[in-house]
Amino acid sequence: METNVGMTDRMIRIIAGLTLIAMVYVGPQTVLGWIGIVPLATALIGWCPAYTLFGIKTCKVSQG
């Protein structure tokens, strides 16, 4: 797996993931908030399967 998620993209994914997960406990309290695990996980591992599928790469340095 080659890293294809850059630092800015990671920060956005972490914020979005934590926000969605927080919706499980506060706000509308919907179970759909657990979808936030996906952007959080892709941010932590630095690889997004959808980016690989579409040939997108937001990181500047190739790591692998």
Side-chain angles (χ1 to χ4, degrees):
M1 275 187 315
E2 185 176 333
T3 302
N4 63 2
V5 179
M7 289 307 291
T8 305
D9 195 358
R10 282 184 179 198
M11 289 299 166
I12 293 169
R13 287 170 183 260
I14 288 171
I15 292 168
L18 291 175
T19 302
L20 287 169
I21 292 171
M23 287 176 49
V24 173
Y25 301 105
V26 285
Q29 296 182 343
T30 176
V31 180
L32 294 175
W34 288 115
I35 294 172
I37 292 174
V38 174
L40 191 60
T42 58
L44 294 176
I45 63 173
W47 180 74
C48 178
Y51 277 11
T52 303
L53 183 65
F54 295 112
I56 301 171
K57 192 173 191 178
T58 60
C59 65
K60 294 180 183 179
V61 180
S62 178
Q63 299 173 359

